[in-house]
Amino acid sequence: MQIHILYFAQLADLAGKTEESRSIDHNSPAELYANLKHSYNFPHEFKHLQVAINHQLSAHSTELKDGDSIAFLPPMTGG
């Protein structure tokens, strides 16, 4: 299935892009993030991220569907 991935903050910097499309053969956000973490050397553990699917904050266990967009939101700091 085809998934559109949006990158923000540090993850965009490390990926060198703000978005991309990928073809995946699973429906797990955790598995997708594990692949991205390996590809781009993302420092965060999946459990420390927020997940947004189709622009809505979603549970980590939400299953992906063909055509979905997903964003992994890293912890933010600042004041």
Side-chain angles (χ1 to χ4, degrees):
M1 76 178 125
Q2 194 73 15
I3 298 295
H4 188 74
I5 306 160
L6 304 170
Y7 298 108
F8 296 96
Q10 183 187 34
L11 300 183
D13 292 340
L14 291 169
K17 58 186 101 182
T18 58
E19 60 186 292
E20 72 174 304
S21 291
R22 282 199 178 200
S23 181
I24 60 173
D25 59 0
H26 51 77
N27 62 2
S28 164
E31 192 170 336
L32 174 58
Y33 183 75
N35 291 335
L36 297 171
K37 182 177 179 174
H38 177 76
S39 294
Y40 298 121
N41 295 312
F42 290 161
H44 305 289
E45 297 300 320
F46 180 69
K47 65 183 178 182
H48 295 138
L49 304 172
Q50 290 192 0
V51 176
I53 299 173
N54 298 324
H55 309 285
Q56 297 287 326
L57 289 179
S58 303
H60 284 173
S61 60
T62 302
E63 292 184 358
L64 296 169
K65 297 185 239 28
D66 187 42
D68 279 350
S69 67
I70 187 168
F72 298 103
L73 307 171
M76 299 289 178
T77 60

